[in-house]
Amino acid sequence: SPAGLVDFAYGFSLTEGIATPDEIDSVEIVETPLGIDLQIWLKSPAESRLSARRRSMAGPVGCGLCGIDSLEEARRAPRRVADRGFTMTPAQIMSAMAELTAHQPLHDITRAAHAAAIWAAEGGIITSREDVGRHNALDKLIGALAQAAPVEGALVLTCRTSIDMVQKAAAAGFPMIIAASAPTAAAVEMADERLGSLAEVTVLVPLHSD
């Protein structure tokens, strides 16, 4: 989705292990007749890392594993998130998910966009990003946070949590993931090992009301 593109550039580079924010020299947004060409210029150390990464696509919008050329790469273990004692009560978890609905302007218009947000104990949801692709929404959020002062909080998602979402969350240092849909078994296993925890929130909405 053509919004938050600089954030996406920073977030995608970080979560895919290509470049840290200080290794990005510049980001250029080039509009073409067919769409937007997002050109990310990297400093020398990151250039060699990009070659080693051997990713065959620019940005995943489907399963998040398309373009990976080995099972080892698909299951790559991200860095372990340091345990700094971050906790949430069940009431805070439900409140964070409920609050997310007020931070989805694109979804309100289209009914076809995912959201990723950070919830902090002081202030609730402080930053959110949207995209038609769940991975891109998360990358945009992480990119936005990478360019700002550090904030610790839980990652709040409107989508299911698969292993690649956990990899991205761990790369950004989130201690907890709250998701509106069920996680995969592999995602739970990786979250238990690399993050503090993963919470599934099931929200039931009636199709008809009297």
Side-chain angles (χ1 to χ4, degrees), residues 36 68 72 81 101 122 137 146 180 208:
I36 297 174
I68 299 287
E72 289 77 12
V81 177
T101 59
E122 295 154 0
H208 304 283

Side-chain angles (χ1 to χ4, degrees), residues 30-150:
V30 180
E31 295 190 19
T32 74
L34 297 179
I36 297 174
D37 182 5
L38 188 60
Q39 300 181 356
I40 308 168
W41 301 96
L42 306 175
K43 297 178 181 178
S44 296
E47 289 180 357
S48 58
R49 199 177 303 125
L50 174 60
S51 299
R53 184 73 174 82
R54 296 188 307 176
R55 187 106 185 178
S56 66
M57 63 186 302
V61 296
C63 68
L65 299 178
C66 306
I68 299 287
D69 60 7
S70 70
L71 290 175
E72 289 77 12
E73 184 62 24
R75 290 297 298 263
R76 61 187 168 89
R79 69 180 180 89
R80 190 183 303 277
V81 177
D83 183 3
R84 291 185 287 271
F86 180 86
T87 61
M88 292 179 68
T89 66
Q92 287 176 321
I93 290 174
M94 295 303 297
S95 177
M97 183 57 66
E99 186 182 346
L100 183 58
T101 59
H103 296 263
Q104 298 178 253
L106 182 59
H107 178 268
D108 290 344
I109 297 172
T110 66
R111 300 295 175 182
H114 285 296
I118 179 171
W119 181 95
E122 295 154 0
I125 288 181
I126 56 176
T127 303
S128 65
R129 292 293 184 272
E130 292 183 280
D131 195 277
V132 68
R134 59 194 175 99
H135 305 90
N136 294 347
L138 177 53
D139 280 336
K140 287 178 179 180
L141 174 69
I142 292 173
L145 296 174
Q147 300 172 77

